[in-house]
Amino acid sequence: MSILLVTSSPRGAASHSTRIATELAEKLLAADPSNTLVVRDLVANPLPHIDADYSTGIYTPAESRTPRQAEVVGVSDAALDELFAADTIILATGFINFGISSTLKSWVDHVARSGKTFSYGEGGPKGLVTGKKVYVVLASGGIYSEGAAVQMDHAIPYLRSVLGFIGMTDVEVIRIEGVGMGPDAVNAALAKATAKVDAVVAATAGTGNVAAAA
């Protein structure tokens, strides 16, 4: 199994989403020696925001692209290659202004490409990235999975929509909630998320996709 881990929190080593997502990736990796892991750190190596060269370059034949168009399309192609090669995708983000990080949004913009990850036909749009399992690890200072603040969560609904649009409908969410509510809340949130990670790994092993860890 090939695992793609995409991290995007600007908090570096202090990031709860990066910590839990990395823990999930490493435990899935350890569960089966044949598994492989590719890490894309969008903070250390952010993807450029899409611009005029990108938006024209993706519709220009490769031999006719300008050097700048070739460069930015090449960046997108590399992200696409990683995505298609992976069986499991882990996306980690903090909850920033009620949505995902801008670095993760740029990644989405580079992998959501007409003719590559989705197409249009008589029946409407069709996602072309199929057969993948996606885990979204989201850290938030407050509680947004329930209660009055649910309507302010634009991160998970957006990711489910855009991932589903390009064909990835098997999406599981691991939340790390309430980390802005004090040390006890942080510890509780991390413990709950780690338990969810362990349950995911155990369930994956149970399906036969990953051998049971020794």
Side-chain angles (χ1 to χ4, degrees):
M1 179 174 71
S2 176
I3 305 164
L4 172 62
L5 169 61
V6 181
T7 61
S8 65
S9 172
R11 299 180 68 242
S15 167
H16 300 304
S17 64
T18 298
R19 170 181 168 178
I20 294 299
T22 301
E23 181 179 332
L24 172 59
E26 291 178 345
K27 286 182 176 179
L28 289 173
L29 192 64
D32 187 340
S34 68
N35 291 338
T36 60
L37 174 64
V38 171
V39 179
R40 180 172 279 273
D41 183 340
L42 295 174
V43 176
N45 297 289
L47 294 173
H49 290 294
I50 60 174
D51 57 14
D53 288 317
Y54 173 88
S55 60
T56 55
I58 58 175
Y59 297 111
T60 300
E63 65 275 9
S64 301
R65 291 171 184 155
T66 67
R68 171 60 180 163
Q69 286 175 331
E71 177 185 357
V72 293
V73 174
V75 168
S76 178
D77 287 343
L80 284 174
D81 288 344
E82 290 176 350
L83 178 62
F84 277 109
D87 303 300
T88 298
I89 297 97
I90 304 171
L91 304 178
T93 181
F95 191 71
I96 301 174
N97 294 324
F98 311 114
I100 63 175
S101 63
S102 62
T103 50
L104 183 57
K105 176 58 167 61
S106 288
W107 180 85
V108 170
D109 290 340
H110 279 280
V111 301
R113 280 174 57 183
S114 178
K116 295 288 187 178
T117 53
F118 67 93
S119 62
Y120 291 103
E122 293 182 358
K126 178 182 179 182
L128 304 177
V129 189
T130 58
K132 313 290 186 184
K133 175 68 179 186
V134 182
Y135 297 99
V136 175
V137 179
L138 175 69
S140 60
I143 306 296
Y144 294 90
S145 64
E146 60 185 11
V150 166
Q151 62 183 346
M152 300 178 75
D153 178 4
H154 301 290
I156 298 304
Y158 168 72
L159 285 174
R160 285 191 182 279
S161 294
V162 72
L163 294 173
F165 185 80
I166 63 176
M168 295 188 287
T169 56
D170 188 0
V171 178
E172 190 166 346
V173 178
I174 300 175
R175 291 182 182 264
I176 312 156
E177 296 191 283
V179 296
M181 298 178 176
D184 290 343
V186 171
N187 292 335
L190 290 172
K192 184 176 180 179
T194 295
K196 180 69 178 289
V197 164
D198 290 340
V200 164
V201 174
T204 304
T207 66
N209 293 331
V210 176

